[in-house]
Amino acid sequence: MPNELENVLLVVSGPSGSGKNTLLNYILENRPDSVHSVSATTRAPRFFEHDGVDYYFKTTAEFEQLIDEGGLIEWDKYRGNYYGTLVSDVQRKIDMGLNVVFDITIPGAENVKRLFPAETKTVFVLPPSIRILRHRLVNRKSDDEETINKRIEFAIRSEIEKYRDFDYVIVNDDLDEARRNILAIYDSLTNPDSENTAAAERFKKDAFAEHAEETIRKIREEIRADAEEDAGEQIQQ
Ligand code: 5GP
């Protein structure tokens, strides 16, 4: 998929509940030259989702046909469902001269980067704490408690440290600040003369590593404290 127009492919990833979707929407609302990559999935639509807007909803057979035909730039399986980025959707948006933003899994981000290294920039969104991550997942009301616990466990066990493979890192602590930061990253990539270019430097992975490591340390301590509390409660019962 040649990209003669040199559009930016901005991939935003992070654990479920990190707030990446809110941040990505903020770019879409504020930058008319940006557009969302609408993925294909075999997951059932949530009550507020529309086919062709949030996802292209497919059967497993349809999705597997897309894989066989080479219709996907990348695909991944997440919690038993297929998710994949459509060549046709992204190509059409590139042809329109737009910058494409992606909300995809961490392996998906790595694959897009590998396939389009010059055009792709990746942003990892870290949650500030497990308490906040849980709060967001509960408020979203789309998963039961067991699913939420599994998502959190997955985030801790295999996701948060992957930030090291990304170009930029944001901790989604204060939402207004995180919005400003993601926009600064977008502007610096799409318009290097932007006054936001200097601001974006702070979120380059190496510049931000100390803050990211500190956040991960705090998350691990939180998990340990929660586990000790649970063990204490069990002894008392
Ligand atoms: P959800 O079911 O909550 O909409 O999405 C579940 C996960 O699938 C999220 O982490 C989302 O970023 C990811 N996802 C959505 N579309 C794609 C895609 O096209 N490719 C990959 N690799 N992941 C995707």
Side-chain angles (χ1 to χ4, degrees), residues 19-21 26 59 70-71 76 100 102 112 126-127 135 143 156 175 177 179 203 209-210:
K20 59 192 160 148
N21 204 266
Y26 191 68
T59 62
D76 196 2
V100 189
F102 301 74
V112 175
L126 265 177
H135 184 73
D143 293 311
I156 307 309
L175 184 58
E177 201 181 318
R179 283 175 169 151
F203 305 104
E210 205 175 309

Side-chain angles (χ1 to χ4, degrees), residues 167 179 219 225:
D167 297 314
R179 283 175 169 151
I219 287 177

Side-chain angles (χ1 to χ4, degrees), residues 31 43 48 90 115 137:
R31 293 295 178 261
R43 152 163 97 55
F48 51 85
V90 175
L115 290 167
L137 291 172

Side-chain angles (χ1 to χ4, degrees), residues 7-13 100-102 109 112-113 116-124 166-168 185 188-189 204:
N7 315 59
V8 172
L9 306 179
L10 185 67
V11 184
V12 183
S13 285
V100 189
V101 295
F102 301 74
V112 175
K113 178 98 179 161
F116 306 105
E119 297 85 356
T120 306
K121 294 290 174 199
T122 53
V123 182
F124 195 97
F166 281 64
D167 297 314
Y168 295 88
I185 294 172
S188 74
L189 297 170
K204 283 202 171 148

Side-chain angles (χ1 to χ4, degrees), residues 20 39 43 46 55 74 76 78 83-85 103-105 108:
K20 59 192 160 148
S39 299
R43 152 163 97 55
R46 296 183 179 132
Y55 283 103
E74 60 75 42
D76 196 2
Y78 181 85
Y83 293 84
T85 304
D103 167 3
I104 60 178
T105 58

Side-chain angles (χ1 to χ4, degrees), residues 77-92:
K77 250 192 165 170
Y78 181 85
R79 297 191 44 75
N81 288 303
Y82 282 121
Y83 293 84
T85 304
L86 289 155
V87 174
S88 54
D89 183 74
V90 175
Q91 185 66 65
R92 187 167 49 83

